[in-house]
Amino acid sequence: MSAQILLASASPRRQELLTQIGVSFKMFPVDIDETPYSGEAPLSYVRRIAAEKSAVALERSDARLPILAADTAVILGGRIMGKPKDKADCLAMLGFLSGRTHQVFSAISLRGSEHWQAVSITDVTFRSINEEEMNRYWQSGEPADKAGAYAIQGLGSVFVKSITGSFSGVVGLPLFETAELLAKQGITIFK
């Protein structure tokens, strides 16, 4: 099947999610500076990063296909939690999330005949996590490249007491919102 979109991401999770809903894609990962601006609100941040990724992909590609980009951030107390820099950062993040409810903001940007954006916001409640569990989780290697230092679709799922919102959004690509934007571009899931 020929590609329907360019995916401006190297994320295996986003690839799996698009494959799950039958959308064919060509990978076109882009690398941008994802540093939040001073005082930038989390919602503005994820929308900006997703839009910048799709804009850069549009600039660098032949742009014959619509371009889908996404950004996911873990938010607690107004703090944007990116990927942990090292073990100490991972343990600090997990300690901050332990026993609390945080939000996961997942923004998508689709550039085709127009530019569309959508955001999914999901509440995730963690059970309390002890220091030994945090250390063992770090040793698994899983949290090293994940926003908020956990993967809800992996071992990190054992920390999740409840979720209200989009599971796929927490993984990295909210499928409900993605399908809605793709439909605006004429790409339907159920043909």
Side-chain angles (χ1 to χ4, degrees):
M1 178 188 283
S2 61
Q4 296 170 288
I5 62 169
L6 287 183
L7 175 61
S9 173
S11 166
R13 292 156 299 282
R14 290 188 179 120
Q15 294 170 47
E16 289 167 8
L17 288 166
L18 283 174
T19 300
Q20 176 183 318
I21 61 170
V23 175
S24 59
F25 57 91
K26 179 180 174 187
M27 290 186 44
F28 196 87
V30 295
D31 191 26
I32 64 166
D33 180 3
E34 297 187 29
T35 306
Y37 295 149
S38 178
E40 186 172 26
L43 181 59
S44 298
Y45 169 76
V46 294
R47 288 177 56 89
R48 176 179 63 84
I49 296 300
E52 285 182 12
K53 288 176 181 177
S54 67
V56 168
L58 181 64
E59 275 178 27
R60 295 180 185 168
S61 73
D62 58 20
R64 292 189 186 126
L65 294 171
I67 297 167
L68 178 69
D71 189 63
T72 302
V74 172
I75 314 296
L76 181 57
R79 176 180 164 198
I80 300 169
M81 301 173 74
K83 298 172 185 174
K85 296 177 206 85
D86 54 26
K87 179 181 179 180
D89 195 31
C90 173
L91 299 183
M93 285 185 194
L94 291 173
F96 192 51
L97 296 172
S98 177
R100 300 174 78 182
T101 298
H102 62 276
Q103 293 184 309
V104 178
F105 289 28
S106 226
I108 53 175
S109 170
L110 181 68
R111 292 183 190 270
S113 58
E114 295 181 42
H115 179 221
W116 295 283
Q117 285 191 279
V119 178
S120 163
I121 300 174
T122 301
D123 290 331
V124 180
T125 302
F126 268 24
R127 66 168 173 81
S128 294
I129 310 168
N130 66 47
E131 195 171 328
E132 181 181 344
E133 290 175 309
M134 289 183 215
N135 278 300
R136 288 187 179 187
Y137 186 50
W138 171 258
Q139 290 168 0
S140 76
E142 185 175 272
D145 65 344
K146 309 293 186 297
Y150 77 95
I152 196 167
Q153 74 282 9
L155 292 171
S157 62
V158 302
F159 304 139
V160 178
K161 184 176 179 180
S162 67
I163 175 175
T164 304
S166 172
F167 177 82
S168 62
V170 178
V171 175
L173 187 68
L175 293 179
F176 173 80
E177 292 82 356
T178 299
E180 283 192 326
L181 295 192
L182 290 172
K184 290 180 180 184
Q185 184 60 39
I187 300 168
T188 57
I189 304 306
F190 300 103
K191 296 158 181 71

